[in-house]
Amino acid sequence: MKNKFHHFKDKHLLVIMTIVCAALILGTCTTNVVSSSVRSVAGYIVAPFENGINKVGTWLTKQYSGFKRVKKLSSENESLQSQVNALTSENTTLMQQTTELSRLEALYQMDQEYPDYPKVGAEVIAKDAGNWYSTFTINKGTNDGIAVDMNVLGQGGLVGIVTEVGKSWATVRSIIDDESNVSAMAASTSDTCVVTGNLTEMDSGKIDFINLIDDNNEVTEGTTLVTSNISEKFLPGLLVGYVSDVSEDSNKLTKSGTLIPAVDFRTIREVLVITQLKQTTDGAAVDSASGTDTAGTAAAGAESAASSAGSTSEGSSAN
């Protein structure tokens, strides 16, 4: 009986163990299948999502890095632009100073051409409407010794004459103005003529001269014209301009033509006012301040200016 019970017990235990092992095997297989299915589903669902997040993160990182680079470049660009603006401003200032220095050097050279005439420098502060400096105002007046009929020089030669004056200002009528008439002569021959202002003709860079007496036909293109010693208001020997063309008048006695002024009447910034009036008493030019007789020195200055103008006529006529 004992043997039977023992045998039964062993058999049932073996069956139970077999069932348990089978269950465990089945459970393991099922778990693997489920886990594999879960992993497969996760692979289809989670992986793309993770990839998308990774791509978005990478894009945001690149955008942030790009933004930092743009901000850095923008800051550098602003700094460079500031430097460029500063250098441009400095360069403009230097150019203006160079231009001004060039003009002042030309005026100084003009001052040296007529050393016997006392002069006062002045700046142009206003002008009439139009392209040309036909009449304009300077910042010097009676307080500086300026008077009506004083001659005015600019870069190149004669500009005009003072027509009105106040304590700290004066009006100048230039030789190109329609109302201007200047007694002039050829520097090389002393043949006289009258230079007349002509703003219409000035649009071509020229003005007129008339009543030229040239019996020997020596006044030709390029001849230098200076103020005449017989002028009532203009001191002798001041450079006026250069003959452009000349032709005989219908009376067969005189000639007329055009000349190119020595001064550029489009850009006058500074001038020299000769503080000496032309007076005809005893044929002497008298210094308005001291009464010194300067007829001899004026003639010498005229000869010197005419000689200098003759040697530089081509270059001056372009001014």
Side-chain angles (χ1 to χ4, degrees), residues 25-102:
I25 292 171
L26 181 61
T28 301
C29 292
T30 303
T31 300
N32 290 336
V33 171
V34 172
S35 177
S36 176
S37 300
V38 171
R39 285 196 299 269
S40 178
V41 171
Y44 283 110
I45 297 176
V46 177
F49 182 72
E50 289 180 347
N51 289 335
I53 292 177
N54 288 335
K55 288 181 180 180
V56 171
T58 301
W59 181 81
L60 289 175
T61 301
K62 289 182 178 179
Q63 294 301 312
Y64 178 70
S65 299
F67 174 75
K68 289 178 66 177
R69 286 197 298 270
V70 169
K71 188 175 181 181
K72 181 179 179 181
L73 290 174
S74 177
S75 177
E76 292 177 351
N77 183 64
E78 289 180 1
S79 177
L80 291 174
Q81 188 62 49
S82 177
Q83 295 180 30
V84 168
N85 292 338
L87 290 173
T88 300
S89 176
E90 183 179 351
N91 184 57
T92 301
T93 301
L94 289 174
M95 289 178 63
Q96 292 175 343
Q97 291 176 346
T98 300
T99 303
E100 181 179 1
L101 179 60
S102 177

Side-chain angles (χ1 to χ4, degrees), residues 162-268:
V162 175
T163 58
E164 190 178 1
V165 64
K167 289 185 177 181
S168 59
W169 59 270
T171 300
V172 178
R173 183 178 65 224
S174 70
I175 63 172
I176 68 171
D177 188 75
D178 291 333
E179 298 182 8
S180 176
N181 291 286
V182 180
S183 178
M185 65 181 181
S188 57
T189 66
S190 296
D191 292 321
T192 61
C193 65
V194 177
V195 174
T196 61
N198 188 332
L199 289 176
T200 302
E201 187 75 28
M202 193 61 201
D203 286 335
S204 62
K206 304 173 184 178
I207 55 177
D208 300 326
F209 67 86
I210 59 174
N211 299 334
L212 171 66
I213 301 175
D214 179 25
D215 295 333
N216 297 320
N217 298 320
E218 295 179 319
V219 177
T220 59
E221 181 181 354
T223 298
T224 301
L225 296 183
V226 299
T227 51
S228 170
N229 60 324
I230 63 173
S231 173
E232 294 182 359
K233 296 182 179 181
F234 288 93
L235 298 164
L238 305 179
L239 178 61
V240 179
Y242 309 92
V243 173
S244 174
D245 61 77
V246 58
S247 60
E248 189 175 52
D249 294 332
S250 58
N251 59 19
K252 306 296 182 180
L253 298 175
T254 59
K255 296 180 179 180
S256 59
T258 60
L259 66 89
I260 300 172
V263 174
D264 184 353
F265 286 94
R266 294 171 301 180
T267 55
I268 300 177

Side-chain angles (χ1 to χ4, degrees), residues 9-25:
K9 186 178 180 179
D10 290 341
K11 187 164 86 171
H12 282 80
L13 182 61
L14 179 61
V15 170
I16 292 171
M17 290 180 65
T18 300
I19 293 172
V20 169
C21 288
L24 289 173
I25 292 171

